[in-house]
Each structure stands twice: as C-alpha cells, then as structure tokens.
Amino acid sequence: VHLVESGGGSVPSGGSLNLSCEVSGYTYDTYCMGWFRQAPGKEREGVAGIASDDNIMYSDFVKGRFTISQDNAKVNGKNTVYLQMNNLKPEDTARYYCRAVFGDRCSESWWRRAGYWEQGIQVTVSS
C-alpha cells in the first residue's frame, strides 16, 4: 500500500489549506482513510476519516471548519482523499499524517487501528 500526501504549508489565522492523500495498492473493499495530527510536545489526535461507504468521522475540534471528501471514481485499489481546512487557528498547527486502515468503516479512534501512514505534512497557522 502506498500513500502520497500533498498540500499543507503556512497561513495566517483564519486562512485555508487543502491536503490530499492518494492511496494505492490495496485490495480491501472496506476501509477508513483520513488524517491524524501531532503537534510538538502533544499526543497524536485524530482529525477526520472517510469510509468506503462515505461514512465520515470528525473530531469535535474540526467540526464546521474542516471537510473531508474522497475521489468518487471508486477505482479498485486506488483512492484519493481530500481535507479542506477552513478558518484555521494557531492551535491547528501540527504535522498532519494521512492514514489508511482496512477491513472496517470509520469509528471512534479509527486512526489508532493497525494500518498505513506516511511521513506527514506540516501545517503552520500564525496568529
């Protein structure tokens, strides 16, 4: 399974960024894909996940500001997941990691399940 992340960067408070993650090489029909993040000195936390049946999980701190979506092509073994981040706050500053887990839909703490992830993308929001 391969994950290719793109997007991220630096914006002022209130700005917007978009993250993309192309996932390929998998054979499962059921999955949850999305992002978790980690800020310096803090624990990892889930951000958002979207499942093969379009079920979506958001963490409370991003509801109403972030939107996750996925490529509707539904090509076997390949999918792209997008995270549109609006009204960014300095506390959103973190490294964001794309994550893919298979065999089940998104559920609470889906991002803690065994799966795949990559090196992450830095998102920096200045006050």
Side-chain angles (χ1 to χ4, degrees):
V1 177
H2 301 280
L3 287 74
V4 179
E5 303 160 318
S6 60
S10 298
V11 294
S13 181
S16 298
L17 287 172
N18 188 276
L19 304 182
S20 297
C21 180
E22 182 180 290
V23 186
S24 62
Y26 58 91
T27 57
Y28 291 89
D29 292 330
T30 305
Y31 59 75
C32 181
M33 298 177 182
W35 279 267
F36 69 93
R37 70 186 187 185
Q38 187 168 25
K42 295 187 177 181
E43 294 188 358
R44 294 173 184 174
E45 54 187 3
V47 176
I50 187 166
S52 43
D53 63 355
D54 293 321
N55 151 253
I56 290 175
M57 293 286 293
Y58 289 112
S59 291
D60 288 343
F61 55 80
V62 303
K63 286 181 180 178
R65 301 189 298 126
F66 292 10
T67 302
I68 191 169
S69 60
Q70 63 184 337
D71 187 343
N72 288 325
K74 303 293 186 184
V75 175
N76 287 340
K78 186 175 181 180
N79 188 33
T80 300
V81 183
Y82 307 93
L83 185 68
Q84 177 64 41
M85 304 185 291
N86 297 328
N87 191 21
L88 283 160
K89 304 175 181 180
E91 51 264 43
D92 292 318
T93 295
R95 194 159 189 87
Y96 285 68
Y97 298 85
C98 180
R99 184 130 174 91
V101 297
F102 300 95
D104 203 353
R105 312 163 72 221
C106 296
S107 58
E108 189 174 353
S109 298
W110 66 270
W111 53 279
R112 294 184 185 276
R113 302 202 313 249
Y116 299 86
W117 54 306
E118 267 298 332
Q119 59 186 3
I121 297 177
Q122 181 65 35
V123 170
T124 302
V125 185
S126 57
S127 56

